[in-house]
Structure formats: C-alpha cells, structure tokens
Amino acid sequence: MSVTVITRLTGMARWEPGTRERLQAAAMDLYLSRGFEGTTAADIAQAVGLTERTFFRHFADKREVLFGGQELLVQAFLDGVAAAGPHASPLEMIESALSAAATFFTAERRDHSRRRQVVISANPALQERELLKSAALAASLASALRSRGVPGSTATLAAESAVTVFGVTFSTWIAADEQRSFPAIQREVLRELVALADGAR
Amino acid sequence: MSVTVITRLTGMARWEPGTRERLQAAAMDLYLSRGFEGTTAADIAQAVGLTERTFFRHFADKREVLFGGQELLVQAFLDGVAAAGPHASPLEMIESALSAAATFFTAERRDHSRRRQVVISANPALQERELLKSAALAASLASALRSRGVPGSTATLAAESAVTVFGVTFSTWIAADEQRSFPAIQREVLRELVALADGAR
C-alpha cells in the first residue's frame, strides 16, 4: 500500500512527522514535470493526499519549497566564523565557515539538489531569487567577519570569495558525473582560489 | 540665458550633440529629488525643454538612464582579457581586465557615480538590476577567460573575484571622503585579495 493511500485512509497525514518532506518531494516532481509556473500549491497537496491548507501550514508559498532552509545554511556559515580560533586569519575564518556549511550537503541530499537546480535553471525569476539569496549570504558573512575584527574591505572580499567558492563547489558537486563529496570538492576549489591569487599560471 | 531657454528658443535641441548628457543630468536631479518611481520620462524631457519623444530617441526607458553604457564597461573587461600577454596567468588576465575597466571611472565621473548610487540604493528593484548586471559581467568574463584557455572552475573563480574587486573598488571610490583615483584603489583592493588568499592575519 503506498504512503499516499495510507495517508488518505488514516486521515492523519497532517500530523505525520514526514509531511513536510513528502510535500517537498511531490512539489519537486511536479515542478520538473509541469514546470514551476504550471504547478499550484493545491496540486502539490493533492499529490500526497492532503489539502491546500495543510500545504500552507508547512510552506508560506510554493517558492519556499525551493528556498526554505536558507536561514539554516546562513547560520551554519556564521557559526563557522564564530568557531574559528581566536587568532584565525580571515582566510581561516572563511575556511571554517565553508566547512560548517558543507555539512548540509550530504550524499543523500545530492539528488534533491540536482533536481532543484533543474527547476531553478528553467525559471529566470527563481534564478534571480537565488542570486539575491547569495548576495544576502555574502552580506551576513561580511558582517560576521567585521564583528570578529576583520577590516571593512577585507571582510567584504573574504565574504564574497567564500560565497564564490561555495557556488563553484555546489555547481561541481551536482554535475552529473561528479562522485567526490561536497567537502572534498570545496577544499579543492579553495586551493584553486589560493593558487589563482598566488599568480600561478 | 540658460541652456534650457536657448533650447526652447532654437527648437534644435534634438540635434544638439549634448542632448543625451543633458537628459541624463536632468534625470539624475529628478531621481534624487522626487525618487526614481516618482519621475516620468516626460518629466525628464520637460526639465530640459524637450519632448518625451526625444527622450525615447536617446533612452529605451527611464531605467536605461542609469544602466546604459554597461555594454561598454563589459567590453572594456573583455578587451582587457584579450590584451594580456600570451603567457599571462589567470591573475594577470584579470589584472589587465580590471585596469581596462578602471579607465571609465575618471575624476569627472565620480560625482555622477555618487549620485547614481544614491538613487539605486533607495530602490530595491534597481539594486536587483545592479546585481543581475554584475552576475552577467562575471559570466561574460569567465567565458572570455575560458576562451583564453583558463580551465572551467578557475575561470569562474577568477571572473567572480575580478567582479568582487571591482565592486569593492567602486564602493570605496564613491565614499564621501575618498580622494584616491579609481585605478589606485583598485590596485590596493587586488593586493588585499592576494594577501587574504596568502592567509595573512
């Protein structure tokens, strides 16, 4: 018996612990098959045998299915900055921030991230939102670095560089043939950035 | 007799060489005093004694007054990449690109750039557009670097770093008390980025 059928029979779906995850999985399937614009919150809820009202108990709107959880990622970056040693250089602070953020991107999450990216790449408004989220992350990170005593423009450079390393890592990690883990790729990308600044040919 | 009065009397304004510049200056005054949203193309044209139709002969819309000329800036970056020596490292290519772009930001332009920034900072939609323009610049630059043989992720890192250096330089250059020239600030910011990657504390 499928989860959907059980859900319908018991009528307990809204209280099940996995409701949010099931809504998210169903949303992703629909966004991929019908497109983001062509999918409504009601469609998503119906796909898992729930009401639109239940959907809105879990997500503010259908966009939040894609972008929810961003605060947790930003917080991981900030916690990483805070966790760096008392005499850490700005580079060590962003290394610590990047390592903390990398823990989000587990092997189990890779397929979800790939599917999510297909949805976002197909929609300019979602791409813009992704860009705004990146800019907001860089601004929060720069401010965390400044509060640890990193001077103004170095803090901005370091934060922007961290977001760039993170972005390049993410794109590499979700590539079809990529096998390495997120942290392994990220360490390599950070090394590339350091080599670039060294003027390596 | 003011330029506006002469313009009205001669009716020759649309053929004058400085029309575009006068429209731009009037637009900036209005954007600062009434806000971007509160200004129409007709208001701008009227301020210099011209018709709305003439305005639209020079600018596609009132946003283009702020963002027109971006293609020339992108082209300067690309020309800079092309001008780097045949054995240049990626860092040298972006140094060359940044130097080429810096020539746009002359002392005479600083006040205009400051005023433009005030208008953009007051309007989230304009800030988003600025962000999209930056992302497009980074993408063009990465592609120019790749066409010069810089491998994929290094090209992205180098291009994003160049755009970051450019952005930090621009913000510093338009600060109220800043006296140094754009190229001088930019060299310093690039040095800071190199020092950051060196792990300097």
Side-chain angles (χ1 to χ4, degrees):
Chain A
M1 206 184 284
S2 78
V3 170
T4 308
V5 173
I6 294 170
T7 298
R8 282 189 182 135
L9 292 177
T10 61
M12 290 291 286
R14 74 177 60 164
W15 308 117
E16 266 182 51
T19 305
R20 188 182 163 93
E21 289 67 29
R22 287 189 301 123
L23 283 166
Q24 201 159 26
M28 206 63 79
D29 286 341
L30 288 166
Y31 295 166
L32 286 167
S33 58
R34 301 185 191 175
F36 178 77
E37 292 299 344
T39 304
T40 66
D43 295 337
I44 300 166
Q46 201 183 13
V48 289
L50 297 173
T51 63
E52 197 178 348
R53 219 176 127 201
T54 306
F55 175 89
F56 287 117
R57 209 170 286 136
H58 290 276
F59 298 101
D61 55 36
K62 64 176 181 160
R63 217 168 51 169
E64 208 207 310
V65 179
L66 298 167
F67 293 99
Q70 171 83 9
E71 328 73 59
L72 296 173
L73 179 64
V74 173
Q75 195 54 53
F77 272 95
L78 303 187
D79 291 346
V81 170
H87 305 294
S89 68
L91 180 65
E92 287 162 345
M93 290 181 198
I94 65 170
E95 271 181 314
S96 177
L98 287 165
S99 298
T103 61
F104 273 73
F105 302 94
T106 57
E108 302 75 57
R109 194 165 165 158
R110 186 156 4 191
D111 188 53
H112 169 80
S113 293
R114 281 180 177 137
R115 287 152 56 85
R116 176 180 178 278
Q117 203 56 41
V118 172
V119 174
I120 290 177
S121 300
N123 186 307
L126 296 176
Q127 287 167 47
E128 267 183 52
R129 183 153 181 96
E130 187 92 315
L131 213 52
L132 289 172
K133 292 268 182 181
S134 276
L137 167 61
S140 301
L141 194 51
S143 145
L145 292 167
R146 275 192 284 272
S147 76
R148 285 215 50 185
V150 178
S153 61
T154 300
T156 305
L157 286 170
E160 296 279 355
S161 298
V163 172
T164 297
V165 167
F166 173 75
V168 170
T169 301
F170 186 82
S171 307
T172 306
W173 183 64
I174 60 170
D177 50 353
E178 183 58 57
Q179 300 293 329
R180 290 171 298 164
S181 72
F182 195 99
I185 298 168
Q186 195 163 256
R187 281 190 296 271
E188 180 57 32
V189 174
L190 190 59
R191 264 197 294 272
E192 267 185 80
L193 179 70
V194 169
L196 168 75
D198 270 352
R201 274 151 217 261
Chain B
M1 205 184 287
S2 78
V3 170
T4 307
V5 173
I6 293 171
T7 297
R8 282 188 182 135
L9 291 176
T10 60
M12 291 291 285
R14 73 176 63 164
W15 307 118
E16 266 181 50
T19 304
R20 189 182 162 92
E21 289 68 27
R22 287 189 300 123
L23 283 166
Q24 202 159 27
M28 206 64 78
D29 286 342
L30 289 166
Y31 295 166
L32 286 167
S33 57
R34 299 186 193 176
F36 178 77
E37 293 300 342
T39 304
T40 66
D43 294 336
I44 300 166
Q46 201 184 12
V48 289
L50 297 172
T51 63
E52 197 178 349
R53 218 176 127 200
T54 306
F55 175 89
F56 287 117
R57 209 171 285 134
H58 290 275
F59 298 101
D61 55 36
K62 64 178 180 158
R63 216 169 50 171
E64 208 205 310
V65 178
L66 298 168
F67 293 99
Q70 171 83 8
E71 328 74 58
L72 296 173
L73 179 64
V74 173
Q75 196 53 54
F77 272 95
L78 303 186
D79 291 348
V81 170
H87 304 295
S89 68
L91 181 65
E92 286 162 347
M93 290 183 198
I94 67 170
E95 272 181 315
S96 177
L98 287 165
S99 299
T103 61
F104 273 72
F105 303 94
T106 58
E108 301 78 55
R109 193 163 165 161
R110 187 160 356 195
D111 188 53
H112 169 80
S113 293
R114 281 178 176 139
R115 285 151 57 86
R116 177 181 177 278
Q117 204 56 41
V118 173
V119 174
I120 290 178
S121 300
N123 186 309
L126 296 175
Q127 286 168 46
E128 266 184 52
R129 186 158 178 91
E130 188 92 315
L131 212 51
L132 289 172
K133 292 268 184 183
S134 275
L137 168 61
S140 300
L141 193 51
S143 144
L145 292 167
R146 275 191 284 272
S147 76
R148 283 215 53 186
V150 178
S153 61
T154 301
T156 306
L157 286 170
E160 296 280 354
S161 298
V163 172
T164 298
V165 167
F166 173 75
V168 171
T169 302
F170 186 82
S171 307
T172 306
W173 183 63
I174 60 172
D177 49 353
E178 183 57 57
Q179 302 292 328
R180 290 170 299 164
S181 72
F182 194 100
I185 298 168
Q186 195 163 256
R187 281 190 296 272
E188 181 57 30
V189 174
L190 189 59
R191 263 196 296 271
E192 265 183 82
L193 179 69
V194 169
L196 168 75
D198 269 353
R201 274 148 219 259

